[in-house]
Amino acid sequence: MDIPIIRDVLEESNARAQENRALFDRHGVFAVNIMSSPGSGKTTLLAKTIPLLQQRGLSCAVIEGDITSTLDSERLKPLGIPVVQANTEPFGGDCHVGSHLVQAALKHFDLARVNVLFIENIGNLVCPAEFYLGEDRKVVVLSITEGEDKPLKYPLMFRECSACLLSKMDLAPHLDVNVETLKENLRRTNGRLTVIPISAKTGEGIERWVEWIVKKT
Amino acid sequence: MDIPIIRDVLEESNARAQENRALFDRHGVFAVNIMSSPGSGKTTLLAKTIPLLQQRGLSCAVIEGDITSTLDSERLKPLGIPVVQANTEPFGGDCHVGSHLVQAALKHFDLARVNVLFIENIGNLVCPAEFYLGEDRKVVVLSITEGEDKPLKYPLMFRECSACLLSKMDLAPHLDVNVETLKENLRRTNGRLTVIPISAKTGEGIERWVEWIVKKT
């Protein structure tokens, strides 16, 4: 009895994702689903990235996925862009942003005025990788403090993504982590992954990441 | 139709957990379910903790939960203690260690010779908090690199646990994280949580953590 029900859930999820996709196509929105472990620096990255995209004439919007709280949305308020907080707590504390939640959030935007939409997923290196939301690209942020082995231990996430931002590079001198081994593990897991080392503190790699987005829009 | 099926799954999960509990009681095993985000340092912590427990005359065993790979088990090999790798990939890549997996792993131990059993859960601050495995205590490791806000954003994990180890304290001088604010957020989320700042690098807090375990066995 389980199997048909699980299939229904995935079919339902993909149907909502396709509707989101159609909306993005209609309005020329480039949608990026950003995923990572908790505390890798996704929100900090967005706060650094969005002003640079605005300087290139691209207008941005954000869906902030969290189980609970509006902490991340509040951190983005100073940017003056449209932000919708999508909390999963009313849906049983889901461990990932679902396509139905994105669909509900999209109703709050004037998509004709949005060039780049960031969907900041819930901090979780496992479950969010399994769900298509209708996005153009999936991106994973991996803090180098998490160690070299994460691509080998959480392979689905790194296989699903087009780009991996290695964050907190400024901490490298204080860690036992070998960044070259980490990059090699990323290559072994997904040979087509674009790997961009970044630091929100020093600014390292942020321009390259902004270029990556600009070229795709 | 969904609701009875979901209930069955949880009932099944709790039934297996109760059977694990009965085994622990019969053999006088103190079982600790260790949870955290990916890369907080759970395995490193175990490698530091277990020799100190052995010095106190306590014999240890470990169930290493991962989606895939035996990387963590191999890191514990030099300790010469019984370790079972429990991978969820054959079960659909589950995002948490289930009580059925613990039950299967327990068959590989001579529990009469185990005083302390560590169950290292999958790196995930969300889903593992929802499942009772039959353990005596749940413990969460939170790397201070993850930021002050994690207890507020992932409250269930911090409410379910008896102790929180704040790891990578040696990095504090290089971070913008305010450890006092983090502690205050932990207190607000769970006033009964024992908070122990630790560093595997400097040894800070490791003795206090070992004491915490010894007192409970």
Side-chain angles (χ1 to χ4, degrees), chain A residues 15 28 47 76 94 111 127 140 177 183 188 203 205:
Chain A
L76 296 181
D94 262 10
L111 288 180
C127 320
V140 57
V177 172
K183 285 181 182 171
R188 279 171 61 188

Side-chain angles (χ1 to χ4, degrees), chain A residues 200-217:
Chain A
K201 211 173 226 173
T202 68
E204 175 185 350
I206 303 292
E207 266 303 329
R208 201 180 142 204
W209 154 239
V210 167
E211 271 309 313
W212 187 88
I213 299 169
V214 170
K215 270 188 196 154
K216 300 217 164 356
T217 56

